[in-house]
Amino acid sequence: MPASLRASALPTGDLDTSEIRSPLDLNSPDHATGRVDQVLSRLEPERLHAALTYQMSRTDSSSLRLTLEAV
């Protein structure tokens, strides 16, 4: 199901748990279907950042999709 960041809310972080919470709107092809919060542990965003940094430093960005699928 497609999702996008909720326009009226910003991601937040919790210093006690190191979680990052991103408010999302869920959509079907023709209308909104709901709202959820995506919650990531500290390790997940760190891995994503590392993968993106690595790929952005390479001249061949065609493998970016493969690296992100492994994260």
Side-chain angles (χ1 to χ4, degrees):
M1 176 173 293
S4 59
L5 288 173
R6 196 172 309 145
S8 61
L10 296 172
T12 59
D14 185 321
L15 294 176
D16 293 329
T17 64
S18 298
E19 291 176 338
I20 297 172
R21 189 173 297 270
S22 298
L24 301 176
D25 285 328
L26 302 177
N27 306 294
S28 69
D30 56 350
H31 66 281
T33 58
R35 291 183 161 187
V36 296
D37 286 345
Q38 176 186 33
V39 180
L40 301 173
S41 70
R42 180 178 178 174
L43 187 57
E44 292 165 317
E46 287 176 349
R47 286 181 179 169
L48 177 60
H49 182 267
L52 290 172
T53 300
Y54 173 74
Q55 289 299 327
M56 296 305 286
S57 68
R58 296 181 55 180
T59 56
D60 177 21
S61 62
S62 63
S63 61
L64 177 61
R65 182 179 58 81
L66 296 175
T67 301
L68 289 176
E69 288 174 355
V71 171

